[in-house]
Amino acid sequence: MMMGGKRLSLSSLGAWFCIFLLAVRVEQSFQLQDGILNRKFLGVSHSSSSNSNYAVQLQIQDKHVILDNGLVQITFTKPGGVVSVIKYNGIENLLDGHEKKDRRGYWDLEWSRIGQRGRYDHAVGTEFKVIKESPEQVELSFTVRWNPSNGNSFALNIDKRFIMMRGSSGFYAYGIYERLPGWPAFDLGNSRLAFKLNTAKFHYMAISDDRQRIMPTPQDRSSGQRLNYPEAVLLTNPSNPDLKGEVDDKYQYSCENKDNRVHGWISNTNQSVGFWMITPSDEFRTGGPLKQDLTSHVGPTTLAVFSSSHYAGWDAVDLRFVNGEPWKKVYGPVFIYLNSVSNNQNAHKTLWNDAKDQMRTEVQSWPYSFPVSDDYPSSNQRGTVSGRLLVQDNQEFTFANAAYVGLAPPGQAGSWQTQGKGYQFWVKTNKEGYFTISNVREGDYNLNAWVPGFIGDFKRDGDITITAGCDINLGDLVFRPPRNGPTLWEIGIPDRSAKEFYIPDPNPRYINKLFVSQTSNSEPSSSSNKFRQYGLWERYTELYPYQDLIYRIGVSDYRNDWFFAHVTRNAGNSFQPSTWQVAFPLANVNYLGTYTLRLAFASATNADLHVRVNNPQADGRRFKVGLTGRDNAIARHGIHGLYWLFHFEIPGYLLVRGTNTLYITQSRCTSPFTGIMYDYLRLEGPSGYHFKKSG
């Protein structure tokens, strides 16, 4: 045999082979350390001193409970169930030791009773129980029960569960919420699991591939200038001078449920540590896949939000319980994941990519098989629903490509976006409209859908009953979007977002540099976050100081000429209604026919819209939306909140040959955030109407 131009003997070949085997074994020993092959090879580890074969240890003390699997050690208050210490990779506590113990790793909720103001409460347990203890797994329970003799307590039991597994670089948490028959009326607002991290160590936050940055400190915020609401602060004298003049606002880091899978923080220690919140399923979250909520923000804080009224409104989310109403729901499990890497130029990227890999592993493992609760069904206790969705519009059939199809509790079409008491299961169709919804909990559901490019909501008639192991094929389903006649003109894209409209550059005084590079309006993309800049609502008055927006069909371009939010006009000491005009030509008019105006809102906040046809002084009550929405998405940089769809029938005799004008007035003006974000506008001719364009 020849190697490098030299002939090798059998003995020398054997020596080379032995050296090769030794090298392979050495490489494997390094790669397999901590039981993680690929990640160890990439430099990511989960402990510097322990290995994954360490059995899970449980220590029960007088006032504390400690879990330890050799990779992570967690200390809980007893019986409160608050996480007070997380020890990892030689760091004595990843949490903020300056906070009180019940303000480090905790459950909290906002609630109210009828006629009373909302209250904030930590769900501190009063009972402790070991659910399972073995070398492979320990599951703990800390329960807070409703005390009817305490008028300040919420009418709810919360069983907080924590699970530690052998070889797992982190721990799982879930909650079982329950109301029993006969309990008093009660409103549940926000409910979440929160972790306040070590302020001296965690400065770098990561929400997504394009939302990562070094963050200000709580002290930077407290010394800054408060803006229009407490959450938004202009950093005037931050400890990091690079942040001076920026705006920090936790709502800039909100995320849609469908995209909120992993987020967290990375420390700046010699051995960089990542602290990640992984949520592998949306099934227990409020409001479906498009519902937005908080993730991580200055604190440094990381959240798992279970129920919330954000981007919807307190009265929009159906977590209101009447007298005597029983209820039970499991929130989670979520996975608190820890990783580390020796400091290098790519530490942030390496830890983030590893966290995403772990997230994908958790998603593929859902539903988990290890939680010890009859209220959390495993995969073989769930069912499957499949089918194909078609769209019939203008007598044409098309495949519902990339449509959102979901199972939600029974209700009216579109009611899924305000549902919170039950579970929801959503998928996207393929190019041919086929879908399969797997691992659905037992119960009664409606099948819902909406299709990008079309207005309205689809709901299949009749309930679907899911039983353990069922496999239901619904066959072909047809969605017929609302339509009375041919499209005469349209503005925008029916995608339940205002992102395609004109989003102005932020005021230079109120910039978050993270979003500065995402400023192109020429080709809006799904990754653009320009709308997250603070104060964009103020730019309307600056762009239209004397006259409101006028949009001319056939001339104007909605990407440049339709402001993303129909807001009030700032008159100095007050706010005034604004009236937008849509001017459009008609070469011929069916005076005896009926035209249809479709208005789809992507968001509404205390808005009341009036439409007048060719007469700005006409009675606005004829085409009036009425008081609509409290999602506050304009102030919270949401680009959308709840979806609304309105239809106005316009008699043909109100129109003229030539140029017509719609006067669209947002009449309420209580604040700079009062207004509407449009999704899409369309005027349809009468059924069977044939038209030709003017000019």
Side-chain angles (χ1 to χ4, degrees):
M1 179 178 178
M2 301 293 292
M3 178 175 285
K6 297 182 180 180
R7 183 176 299 276
L8 298 179
S9 65
L10 289 177
S11 60
S12 61
L13 182 62
W16 276 103
F17 184 70
C18 291
I19 293 172
F20 172 76
L21 286 178
L22 179 61
V24 169
R25 289 177 180 175
V26 170
E27 182 180 6
Q28 287 180 341
S29 69
F30 281 109
Q31 293 183 25
L32 288 171
Q33 185 178 355
D34 292 342
I36 300 171
L37 177 62
N38 295 327
R39 295 177 186 172
K40 190 65 177 177
F41 182 71
L42 292 171
V44 178
S45 65
H46 300 89
S47 174
S48 59
S49 59
S50 304
N51 63 67
S52 60
N53 292 321
Y54 191 90
V56 183
Q57 303 289 322
L58 171 64
Q59 300 178 42
I60 302 176
Q61 302 175 355
D62 184 31
K63 295 183 178 181
H64 296 91
V65 179
I66 300 174
L67 286 180
D68 190 343
N69 68 356
L71 302 174
V72 183
Q73 185 184 96
I74 312 168
T75 301
F76 304 89
T77 62
K78 173 175 169 280
V82 176
V83 181
S84 60
V85 177
I86 300 178
K87 184 181 292 188
Y88 172 75
N89 204 49
I91 300 176
E92 288 300 309
N93 197 358
L94 300 182
L95 303 181
D96 188 355
H98 298 293
E99 289 278 3
K100 295 180 180 180
K101 288 184 178 181
D102 63 352
R103 292 284 294 175
R104 298 178 188 176
Y106 56 91
W107 248 271
D108 67 4
L109 67 156
E110 291 180 89
W111 63 279
S112 67
R113 292 181 179 171
I114 295 176
Q116 297 182 359
R117 297 183 61 183
R119 302 167 186 254
Y120 175 82
D121 206 310
H122 284 83
V124 179
T126 55
E127 301 174 13
F128 164 69
K129 182 187 296 185
V130 178
I131 301 298
K132 179 177 181 177
E133 182 180 7
S134 76
E136 303 300 320
Q137 173 183 340
V138 173
E139 180 167 341
L140 306 178
S141 166
F142 302 88
T143 302
V144 52
R145 298 189 184 278
W146 176 54
N147 180 1
S149 64
N150 183 354
N152 293 323
S153 65
F154 46 86
L156 188 68
N157 291 340
I158 301 179
D159 184 356
K160 304 183 298 182
R161 299 287 186 96
F162 296 93
I163 302 171
M164 177 172 279
M165 311 285 287
R166 184 200 289 263
S168 177
S169 185
F171 59 99
Y172 297 86
Y174 68 105
I176 305 171
Y177 290 45
E178 183 179 27
R179 280 174 49 87
L180 298 180
W183 285 14
F186 162 79
D187 291 352
L188 176 61
N190 300 334
S191 175
R192 62 188 187 176
L193 174 61
F195 290 92
K196 296 289 186 66
L197 304 184
N198 190 315
T199 57
K201 298 184 182 299
F202 290 96
H203 297 148
Y204 188 90
M205 187 181 75
I207 304 299
S208 62
D209 287 338
D210 56 358
R211 284 198 284 169
Q212 302 183 18
R213 66 168 304 166
I214 293 175
M215 296 289 287
T217 67
Q219 292 74 26
D220 294 338
R221 282 183 53 86
S222 62
S223 65
Q225 176 188 344
R226 173 177 166 173
L227 299 176
N228 279 25
Y229 45 87
E231 293 85 354
V233 172
L234 179 65
L235 305 175
T236 56
N237 189 31
S239 54
N240 182 346
D242 291 340
L243 301 178
K244 186 174 182 177
E246 290 201 52
V247 170
D248 179 73
D249 181 351
K250 66 181 182 181
Y251 293 110
Q252 292 176 319
Y253 305 105
S254 296
C255 189
E256 292 179 347
N257 284 343
K258 65 181 177 62
D259 301 320
N260 187 359
R261 289 285 179 263
V262 56
H263 60 87
W265 293 80
I266 297 173
S267 74
N268 58 341
T269 55
N270 291 332
Q271 185 85 356
S272 294
V273 170
F275 186 102
W276 308 103
M277 179 65 69
I278 295 177
T279 307
S281 172
D282 291 332
E283 68 180 47
F284 49 82
R285 281 173 164 159
T286 303
L290 301 186
K291 172 72 166 60
Q292 297 175 91
D293 234 308
L294 298 173
T295 55
S296 289
H297 57 81
V298 169
T301 301
T302 192
L303 304 171
V305 178
F306 298 136
S307 65
S308 165
S309 59
H310 289 141
Y311 301 94
W314 182 284
D315 57 346
V317 178
D318 73 333
L319 282 166
R320 291 186 162 181
F321 302 94
V322 299
N323 281 318
E325 181 180 358
W327 175 70
K328 180 181 282 190
K329 185 173 182 179
V330 176
Y331 291 102
V334 296
F335 184 43
I336 295 85
Y337 175 62
L338 310 175
N339 58 5
S340 64
V341 65
S342 297
N343 262 348
N344 57 61
Q345 292 181 346
N346 294 317
H348 293 157
K349 181 179 180 180
T350 301
L351 291 176
W352 169 247
N353 287 335
D354 176 70
K356 290 196 299 180
D357 287 342
Q358 185 65 42
M359 174 270 292
R360 285 186 278 266
T361 297
E362 300 299 325
V363 170
Q364 293 169 3
S365 302
W366 190 274
Y368 297 131
S369 60
F370 51 81
V372 185
S373 171
D374 293 337
D375 297 309
Y376 179 80
S378 59
S379 182
N380 62 3
Q381 297 172 298
R382 299 177 177 229
T384 299
V385 174
S386 59
R388 181 171 67 164
L389 183 64
L390 305 172
V391 180
Q392 183 185 16
D393 187 36
N394 265 340
Q395 305 304 315
E396 296 181 359
F397 282 89
T398 58
F399 297 127
N401 178 25
Y404 288 81
V405 181
L407 293 171
Q412 299 296 318
S415 63
W416 53 267
Q417 64 179 339
T418 59
Q419 289 177 348
K421 291 180 182 176
Y423 302 91
Q424 297 193 31
F425 303 85
W426 289 83
V427 296
K428 291 182 75 172
T429 60
N430 65 12
K431 292 181 180 179
E432 288 76 39
Y434 287 101
F435 62 90
T436 298
I437 308 174
S438 304
N439 294 311
V440 182
R441 285 170 159 265
E442 291 187 296
D444 293 331
Y445 299 89
N446 286 162
L447 186 89
N448 302 269
W450 68 274
V451 186
F454 300 91
I455 61 174
D457 280 280
F458 170 79
K459 184 178 82 73
R460 176 185 175 273
D461 291 337
D463 294 351
I464 298 173
T465 300
I466 301 297
T467 58
C470 73
D471 189 350
I472 301 172
N473 190 319
L474 301 176
D476 286 349
L477 306 169
V478 180
F479 171 42
R480 296 176 177 85
R483 177 177 290 280
N484 291 333
T487 298
L488 303 185
W489 54 258
E490 58 186 348
I491 301 173
I493 302 171
D495 58 0
R496 304 192 175 215
S497 167
K499 186 178 289 188
E500 70 267 25
F501 297 125
Y502 179 72
I503 299 174
D505 291 333
N507 188 318
R509 295 176 297 172
Y510 304 129
I511 279 181
N512 185 318
K513 294 177 184 176
L514 178 62
F515 309 126
V516 166
S517 61
Q518 304 173 39
T519 59
S520 174
N521 274 293
S522 59
E523 291 294 336
S525 67
S526 59
S527 62
S528 174
N529 285 299
K530 185 180 180 181
F531 63 87
R532 300 187 188 279
Q533 294 281 12
Y534 172 85
L536 296 182
W537 56 85
E538 296 178 348
R539 305 315 305 267
Y540 176 77
T541 302
E542 298 170 11
L543 290 169
Y544 300 93
Y546 306 112
Q547 185 180 39
D548 285 320
L549 182 151
I550 301 176
Y551 189 91
R552 294 177 172 84
I553 298 297
V555 177
S556 302
D557 182 346
Y558 62 77
R559 295 173 297 181
N560 301 312
D561 302 317
W562 190 270
F563 197 76
F564 80 102
H566 192 164
V567 292
T568 55
R569 174 183 299 282
N570 189 341
N573 296 323
S574 64
F575 299 98
Q576 297 177 348
S578 55
T579 298
W580 292 8
Q581 298 180 40
V582 178
F584 59 97
L586 289 178
N588 59 301
V589 177
N590 183 342
Y591 297 107
L592 299 179
T594 300
Y595 294 71
T596 305
L597 177 66
R598 311 278 186 186
L599 298 177
F601 295 175
S603 165
T605 302
N606 294 319
D608 187 3
L609 201 71
H610 298 246
V611 179
R612 297 171 173 87
V613 182
N614 286 329
N615 180 3
Q617 306 303 321
D619 186 350
R621 293 174 295 180
R622 180 165 188 171
F623 305 117
K624 177 181 178 181
V625 168
L627 181 61
T628 306
R630 294 187 180 182
D631 61 41
N632 213 19
I634 294 173
R636 292 175 173 173
H637 331 291
I639 208 61
H640 75 84
L642 297 183
Y643 177 76
W644 304 82
L645 182 60
F646 299 95
H647 318 280
F648 294 129
E649 294 185 347
I650 300 176
Y653 60 79
L654 292 180
L655 301 172
V656 299
R657 292 180 181 180
T659 300
N660 294 263
T661 302
L662 295 182
Y663 298 90
I664 306 175
T665 302
Q666 200 298 101
S667 61
R668 290 178 60 85
C669 48
T670 55
S671 82
F673 314 124
T674 302
I676 292 165
M677 284 191 272
Y678 296 97
D679 168 43
Y680 176 73
L681 301 87
R682 183 171 79 204
L683 182 67
E684 300 170 7
S687 178
Y689 174 77
H690 299 283
F691 69 96
K692 59 182 179 179
K693 295 182 179 179
S694 298

